Amino acid sequence: MTALAVLALPFAVPTIWMVAASVKPLPEIFKAPPTLWTEHPTLAAYGEAFTFQPFARQYVNSVYIAVLVTLITLLVSSMAGYAFARIRFPGANALFLVVLAGLLVPSEVTIVPLFQVFKQAGMINTHWPLILVTALAAPCVLATFIMRQFFIALPAELEEAGRLDGLGRPGIWWRICLPLARPALSAVAILTFLSSWNLYLEPTVYLTSPELFTLPQALTRFTDAYGADMWNTQLAAATMTVLPVLIVFVLAQRQFVEGLAHSGLK
């Protein structure tokens, strides 16, 4: 336990310092010798983060895009994973390998042709590219793999019992398999939420209006035009950006670990 705590220090200390520095007055952030806490904590930097740019709107953008992408991915990956795991059809394994090959294609390779497609469809400077690309691309492939591995491990007797009760494939998927797949769904939800939340390249390419920006994009714009220091404002904005991720992980961490264990990912 002590060894784990020591190993966690390099990851925990920067986060703790970021949160502590965000409530310090600006001159104290890099004071020597450094201190973790201040005698005069202030939340002024948190207010400045919302007045410097439309940060509240950008926050809502990130939240609703991440939630929508997560819901779409959960639906698509659970259906695809169930089909690959429980339905026998010719070429199923070969088709699954083709789907998995999508993980090998870097997003940087496809972003230019995708930009042309979305431009032709009139979707540039909208949130549709961020939703569609994230929900149906590499994160969805990984989610399908996790769900397939989980559904493979389910006993066949469960499906037979469902058929005896008169359920078809959709009913078995919805009423029997999905309730049992809660750990795998939690793992998929966390991974997908993080993937969408941290997306930076795609918003930079597809969005030009500050009101449509997501948080990773917004964080790069906390700079003063005259070169004045804004460390406390930047740290306050970064702290608020991290909070939803921590909340999601804390709420679903047990199911997340169980889901990865059942899927074979460790």
Side-chain angles (χ1 to χ4, degrees), residues 80-103:
Y82 176 79
F84 281 120
R86 312 303 296 195
I87 301 176
R88 301 300 174 199
F89 58 92
N93 290 332
L95 180 59
F96 185 63
L97 288 177
V98 172
V99 173
L100 282 184
L103 288 173

PDB file of all heavy atoms in Angstrom, residues 80-103:
ATOM      1  N   ALA A  80     -23.152  -3.868 -31.536  1.00  0.00           N
ATOM      2  CA  ALA A  80     -22.147  -4.514 -32.378  1.00  0.00           C
ATOM      3  C   ALA A  80     -21.416  -5.607 -31.611  1.00  0.00           C
ATOM      4  O   ALA A  80     -21.165  -6.693 -32.148  1.00  0.00           O
ATOM      5  CB  ALA A  80     -21.145  -3.470 -32.884  1.00  0.00           C
ATOM      6  N   GLY A  81     -21.071  -5.334 -30.357  1.00  0.00           N
ATOM      7  CA  GLY A  81     -20.382  -6.336 -29.541  1.00  0.00           C
ATOM      8  C   GLY A  81     -21.233  -7.570 -29.334  1.00  0.00           C
ATOM      9  O   GLY A  81     -20.732  -8.701 -29.392  1.00  0.00           O
ATOM     10  N   TYR A  82     -22.532  -7.367 -29.117  1.00  0.00           N
ATOM     11  CA  TYR A  82     -23.436  -8.510 -28.944  1.00  0.00           C
ATOM     12  C   TYR A  82     -23.521  -9.313 -30.243  1.00  0.00           C
ATOM     13  O   TYR A  82     -23.496 -10.556 -30.224  1.00  0.00           O
ATOM     14  CB  TYR A  82     -24.820  -8.020 -28.537  1.00  0.00           C
ATOM     15  CG  TYR A  82     -25.834  -9.124 -28.440  1.00  0.00           C
ATOM     16  CD1 TYR A  82     -25.878  -9.960 -27.325  1.00  0.00           C
ATOM     17  CD2 TYR A  82     -26.739  -9.359 -29.475  1.00  0.00           C
ATOM     18  CE1 TYR A  82     -26.795 -11.002 -27.246  1.00  0.00           C
ATOM     19  CE2 TYR A  82     -27.659 -10.389 -29.406  1.00  0.00           C
ATOM     20  CZ  TYR A  82     -27.687 -11.211 -28.287  1.00  0.00           C
ATOM     21  OH  TYR A  82     -28.587 -12.236 -28.214  1.00  0.00           O
ATOM     22  N   ALA A  83     -23.612  -8.614 -31.359  1.00  0.00           N
ATOM     23  CA  ALA A  83     -23.714  -9.325 -32.648  1.00  0.00           C
ATOM     24  C   ALA A  83     -22.461 -10.157 -32.922  1.00  0.00           C
ATOM     25  O   ALA A  83     -22.553 -11.317 -33.328  1.00  0.00           O
ATOM     26  CB  ALA A  83     -23.931  -8.304 -33.773  1.00  0.00           C
ATOM     27  N   PHE A  84     -21.286  -9.563 -32.693  1.00  0.00           N
ATOM     28  CA  PHE A  84     -20.053 -10.306 -32.947  1.00  0.00           C
ATOM     29  C   PHE A  84     -19.861 -11.468 -31.963  1.00  0.00           C
ATOM     30  O   PHE A  84     -19.236 -12.473 -32.292  1.00  0.00           O
ATOM     31  CB  PHE A  84     -18.846  -9.370 -32.864  1.00  0.00           C
ATOM     32  CG  PHE A  84     -18.638  -8.542 -34.097  1.00  0.00           C
ATOM     33  CD1 PHE A  84     -18.666  -7.158 -34.028  1.00  0.00           C
ATOM     34  CD2 PHE A  84     -18.407  -9.138 -35.330  1.00  0.00           C
ATOM     35  CE1 PHE A  84     -18.471  -6.380 -35.160  1.00  0.00           C
ATOM     36  CE2 PHE A  84     -18.212  -8.373 -36.469  1.00  0.00           C
ATOM     37  CZ  PHE A  84     -18.249  -6.990 -36.389  1.00  0.00           C
ATOM     38  N   ALA A  85     -20.389 -11.335 -30.759  1.00  0.00           N
ATOM     39  CA  ALA A  85     -20.161 -12.361 -29.736  1.00  0.00           C
ATOM     40  C   ALA A  85     -21.184 -13.492 -29.790  1.00  0.00           C
ATOM     41  O   ALA A  85     -20.840 -14.648 -29.553  1.00  0.00           O
ATOM     42  CB  ALA A  85     -20.175 -11.714 -28.349  1.00  0.00           C
ATOM     43  N   ARG A  86     -22.439 -13.195 -30.098  1.00  0.00           N
ATOM     44  CA  ARG A  86     -23.489 -14.183 -29.916  1.00  0.00           C
ATOM     45  C   ARG A  86     -24.175 -14.639 -31.201  1.00  0.00           C
ATOM     46  O   ARG A  86     -24.914 -15.624 -31.185  1.00  0.00           O
ATOM     47  CB  ARG A  86     -24.581 -13.623 -28.982  1.00  0.00           C
ATOM     48  CG  ARG A  86     -24.074 -12.991 -27.714  1.00  0.00           C
ATOM     49  CD  ARG A  86     -23.231 -13.910 -26.871  1.00  0.00           C
ATOM     50  NE  ARG A  86     -23.970 -15.051 -26.371  1.00  0.00           N
ATOM     51  CZ  ARG A  86     -23.544 -15.845 -25.385  1.00  0.00           C
ATOM     52  NH1 ARG A  86     -22.369 -15.607 -24.817  1.00  0.00           N
ATOM     53  NH2 ARG A  86     -24.251 -16.874 -24.994  1.00  0.00           N
ATOM     54  N   ILE A  87     -23.988 -13.913 -32.289  1.00  0.00           N
ATOM     55  CA  ILE A  87     -24.665 -14.293 -33.542  1.00  0.00           C
ATOM     56  C   ILE A  87     -23.637 -14.893 -34.495  1.00  0.00           C
ATOM     57  O   ILE A  87     -22.628 -14.251 -34.800  1.00  0.00           O
ATOM     58  CB  ILE A  87     -25.346 -13.072 -34.195  1.00  0.00           C
ATOM     59  CG1 ILE A  87     -26.379 -12.469 -33.233  1.00  0.00           C
ATOM     60  CG2 ILE A  87     -26.016 -13.476 -35.503  1.00  0.00           C
ATOM     61  CD1 ILE A  87     -27.029 -11.211 -33.747  1.00  0.00           C
ATOM     62  N   ARG A  88     -23.874 -16.102 -34.929  1.00  0.00           N
ATOM     63  CA  ARG A  88     -22.963 -16.775 -35.844  1.00  0.00           C
ATOM     64  C   ARG A  88     -23.378 -16.484 -37.288  1.00  0.00           C
ATOM     65  O   ARG A  88     -24.521 -16.733 -37.667  1.00  0.00           O
ATOM     66  CB  ARG A  88     -22.998 -18.290 -35.614  1.00  0.00           C
ATOM     67  CG  ARG A  88     -22.617 -18.688 -34.202  1.00  0.00           C
ATOM     68  CD  ARG A  88     -21.214 -18.234 -33.879  1.00  0.00           C
ATOM     69  NE  ARG A  88     -20.879 -18.471 -32.482  1.00  0.00           N
ATOM     70  CZ  ARG A  88     -19.903 -17.869 -31.840  1.00  0.00           C
ATOM     71  NH1 ARG A  88     -19.171 -16.950 -32.479  1.00  0.00           N
ATOM     72  NH2 ARG A  88     -19.659 -18.136 -30.582  1.00  0.00           N
ATOM     73  N   PHE A  89     -22.477 -15.950 -38.066  1.00  0.00           N
ATOM     74  CA  PHE A  89     -22.735 -15.714 -39.491  1.00  0.00           C
ATOM     75  C   PHE A  89     -21.407 -15.840 -40.235  1.00  0.00           C
ATOM     76  O   PHE A  89     -20.319 -15.643 -39.653  1.00  0.00           O
ATOM     77  CB  PHE A  89     -23.386 -14.340 -39.729  1.00  0.00           C
ATOM     78  CG  PHE A  89     -22.586 -13.180 -39.219  1.00  0.00           C
ATOM     79  CD1 PHE A  89     -21.677 -12.519 -40.029  1.00  0.00           C
ATOM     80  CD2 PHE A  89     -22.746 -12.732 -37.906  1.00  0.00           C
ATOM     81  CE1 PHE A  89     -20.949 -11.441 -39.557  1.00  0.00           C
ATOM     82  CE2 PHE A  89     -22.013 -11.655 -37.420  1.00  0.00           C
ATOM     83  CZ  PHE A  89     -21.126 -11.010 -38.246  1.00  0.00           C
ATOM     84  N   PRO A  90     -21.447 -16.176 -41.516  1.00  0.00           N
ATOM     85  CA  PRO A  90     -20.204 -16.388 -42.277  1.00  0.00           C
ATOM     86  C   PRO A  90     -19.337 -15.124 -42.299  1.00  0.00           C
ATOM     87  O   PRO A  90     -19.838 -14.017 -42.527  1.00  0.00           O
ATOM     88  CB  PRO A  90     -20.701 -16.738 -43.687  1.00  0.00           C
ATOM     89  CG  PRO A  90     -22.100 -17.222 -43.492  1.00  0.00           C
ATOM     90  CD  PRO A  90     -22.651 -16.465 -42.328  1.00  0.00           C
ATOM     91  N   GLY A  91     -18.042 -15.323 -42.049  1.00  0.00           N
ATOM     92  CA  GLY A  91     -17.111 -14.198 -42.110  1.00  0.00           C
ATOM     93  C   GLY A  91     -17.142 -13.300 -40.891  1.00  0.00           C
ATOM     94  O   GLY A  91     -16.606 -12.181 -40.949  1.00  0.00           O
ATOM     95  N   ALA A  92     -17.734 -13.759 -39.801  1.00  0.00           N
ATOM     96  CA  ALA A  92     -17.844 -12.905 -38.614  1.00  0.00           C
ATOM     97  C   ALA A  92     -16.469 -12.533 -38.066  1.00  0.00           C
ATOM     98  O   ALA A  92     -16.200 -11.357 -37.760  1.00  0.00           O
ATOM     99  CB  ALA A  92     -18.674 -13.613 -37.541  1.00  0.00           C
ATOM    100  N   ASN A  93     -15.590 -13.522 -37.953  1.00  0.00           N
ATOM    101  CA  ASN A  93     -14.258 -13.239 -37.399  1.00  0.00           C
ATOM    102  C   ASN A  93     -13.456 -12.320 -38.329  1.00  0.00           C
ATOM    103  O   ASN A  93     -12.751 -11.419 -37.867  1.00  0.00           O
ATOM    104  CB  ASN A  93     -13.505 -14.554 -37.179  1.00  0.00           C
ATOM    105  CG  ASN A  93     -14.111 -15.358 -36.045  1.00  0.00           C
ATOM    106  OD1 ASN A  93     -14.702 -14.803 -35.118  1.00  0.00           O
ATOM    107  ND2 ASN A  93     -13.973 -16.673 -36.122  1.00  0.00           N
ATOM    108  N   ALA A  94     -13.548 -12.573 -39.639  1.00  0.00           N
ATOM    109  CA  ALA A  94     -12.819 -11.717 -40.587  1.00  0.00           C
ATOM    110  C   ALA A  94     -13.344 -10.282 -40.536  1.00  0.00           C
ATOM    111  O   ALA A  94     -12.567  -9.319 -40.555  1.00  0.00           O
ATOM    112  CB  ALA A  94     -12.962 -12.286 -42.000  1.00  0.00           C
ATOM    113  N   LEU A  95     -14.670 -10.146 -40.449  1.00  0.00           N
ATOM    114  CA  LEU A  95     -15.247  -8.805 -40.370  1.00  0.00           C
ATOM    115  C   LEU A  95     -14.825  -8.099 -39.075  1.00  0.00           C
ATOM    116  O   LEU A  95     -14.548  -6.893 -39.077  1.00  0.00           O
ATOM    117  CB  LEU A  95     -16.777  -8.902 -40.439  1.00  0.00           C
ATOM    118  CG  LEU A  95     -17.539  -7.586 -40.373  1.00  0.00           C
ATOM    119  CD1 LEU A  95     -17.127  -6.669 -41.529  1.00  0.00           C
ATOM    120  CD2 LEU A  95     -19.053  -7.831 -40.412  1.00  0.00           C
ATOM    121  N   PHE A  96     -14.745  -8.874 -37.986  1.00  0.00           N
ATOM    122  CA  PHE A  96     -14.328  -8.265 -36.724  1.00  0.00           C
ATOM    123  C   PHE A  96     -12.872  -7.788 -36.800  1.00  0.00           C
ATOM    124  O   PHE A  96     -12.525  -6.732 -36.260  1.00  0.00           O
ATOM    125  CB  PHE A  96     -14.504  -9.266 -35.582  1.00  0.00           C
ATOM    126  CG  PHE A  96     -14.215  -8.698 -34.229  1.00  0.00           C
ATOM    127  CD1 PHE A  96     -14.982  -7.660 -33.717  1.00  0.00           C
ATOM    128  CD2 PHE A  96     -13.176  -9.188 -33.458  1.00  0.00           C
ATOM    129  CE1 PHE A  96     -14.723  -7.116 -32.474  1.00  0.00           C
ATOM    130  CE2 PHE A  96     -12.908  -8.662 -32.216  1.00  0.00           C
ATOM    131  CZ  PHE A  96     -13.685  -7.626 -31.717  1.00  0.00           C
ATOM    132  N   LEU A  97     -12.023  -8.556 -37.477  1.00  0.00           N
ATOM    133  CA  LEU A  97     -10.628  -8.127 -37.659  1.00  0.00           C
ATOM    134  C   LEU A  97     -10.555  -6.836 -38.478  1.00  0.00           C
ATOM    135  O   LEU A  97      -9.728  -5.957 -38.205  1.00  0.00           O
ATOM    136  CB  LEU A  97      -9.820  -9.234 -38.333  1.00  0.00           C
ATOM    137  CG  LEU A  97      -9.516 -10.465 -37.464  1.00  0.00           C
ATOM    138  CD1 LEU A  97      -8.779 -11.519 -38.270  1.00  0.00           C
ATOM    139  CD2 LEU A  97      -8.689 -10.061 -36.240  1.00  0.00           C
ATOM    140  N   VAL A  98     -11.414  -6.741 -39.485  1.00  0.00           N
ATOM    141  CA  VAL A  98     -11.444  -5.506 -40.288  1.00  0.00           C
ATOM    142  C   VAL A  98     -11.849  -4.315 -39.422  1.00  0.00           C
ATOM    143  O   VAL A  98     -11.281  -3.221 -39.503  1.00  0.00           O
ATOM    144  CB  VAL A  98     -12.424  -5.666 -41.473  1.00  0.00           C
ATOM    145  CG1 VAL A  98     -12.618  -4.333 -42.196  1.00  0.00           C
ATOM    146  CG2 VAL A  98     -11.912  -6.711 -42.442  1.00  0.00           C
ATOM    147  N   VAL A  99     -12.849  -4.550 -38.539  1.00  0.00           N
ATOM    148  CA  VAL A  99     -13.273  -3.469 -37.629  1.00  0.00           C
ATOM    149  C   VAL A  99     -12.134  -3.088 -36.701  1.00  0.00           C
ATOM    150  O   VAL A  99     -11.848  -1.906 -36.474  1.00  0.00           O
ATOM    151  CB  VAL A  99     -14.510  -3.918 -36.825  1.00  0.00           C
ATOM    152  CG1 VAL A  99     -14.848  -2.886 -35.758  1.00  0.00           C
ATOM    153  CG2 VAL A  99     -15.698  -4.111 -37.755  1.00  0.00           C
ATOM    154  N   LEU A 100     -11.441  -4.101 -36.146  1.00  0.00           N
ATOM    155  CA  LEU A 100     -10.329  -3.814 -35.241  1.00  0.00           C
ATOM    156  C   LEU A 100      -9.193  -3.060 -35.932  1.00  0.00           C
ATOM    157  O   LEU A 100      -8.466  -2.292 -35.292  1.00  0.00           O
ATOM    158  CB  LEU A 100      -9.782  -5.115 -34.653  1.00  0.00           C
ATOM    159  CG  LEU A 100     -10.576  -5.763 -33.525  1.00  0.00           C
ATOM    160  CD1 LEU A 100      -9.836  -6.983 -33.004  1.00  0.00           C
ATOM    161  CD2 LEU A 100     -10.819  -4.785 -32.384  1.00  0.00           C
ATOM    162  N   ALA A 101      -9.039  -3.292 -37.231  1.00  0.00           N
ATOM    163  CA  ALA A 101      -7.974  -2.599 -37.968  1.00  0.00           C
ATOM    164  C   ALA A 101      -8.157  -1.088 -37.922  1.00  0.00           C
ATOM    165  O   ALA A 101      -7.201  -0.327 -38.117  1.00  0.00           O
ATOM    166  CB  ALA A 101      -7.942  -3.083 -39.415  1.00  0.00           C
ATOM    167  N   GLY A 102      -9.378  -0.646 -37.634  1.00  0.00           N
ATOM    168  CA  GLY A 102      -9.615   0.790 -37.502  1.00  0.00           C
ATOM    169  C   GLY A 102      -8.820   1.420 -36.391  1.00  0.00           C
ATOM    170  O   GLY A 102      -8.527   2.629 -36.417  1.00  0.00           O
ATOM    171  N   LEU A 103      -8.437   0.607 -35.381  1.00  0.00           N
ATOM    172  CA  LEU A 103      -7.631   1.142 -34.279  1.00  0.00           C
ATOM    173  C   LEU A 103      -6.218   1.492 -34.719  1.00  0.00           C
ATOM    174  O   LEU A 103      -5.515   2.253 -34.052  1.00  0.00           O
ATOM    175  CB  LEU A 103      -7.561   0.118 -33.140  1.00  0.00           C
ATOM    176  CG  LEU A 103      -8.830  -0.093 -32.320  1.00  0.00           C
ATOM    177  CD1 LEU A 103      -8.637  -1.249 -31.354  1.00  0.00           C
ATOM    178  CD2 LEU A 103      -9.180   1.169 -31.559  1.00  0.00           C
TER     179      LEU A 103
END
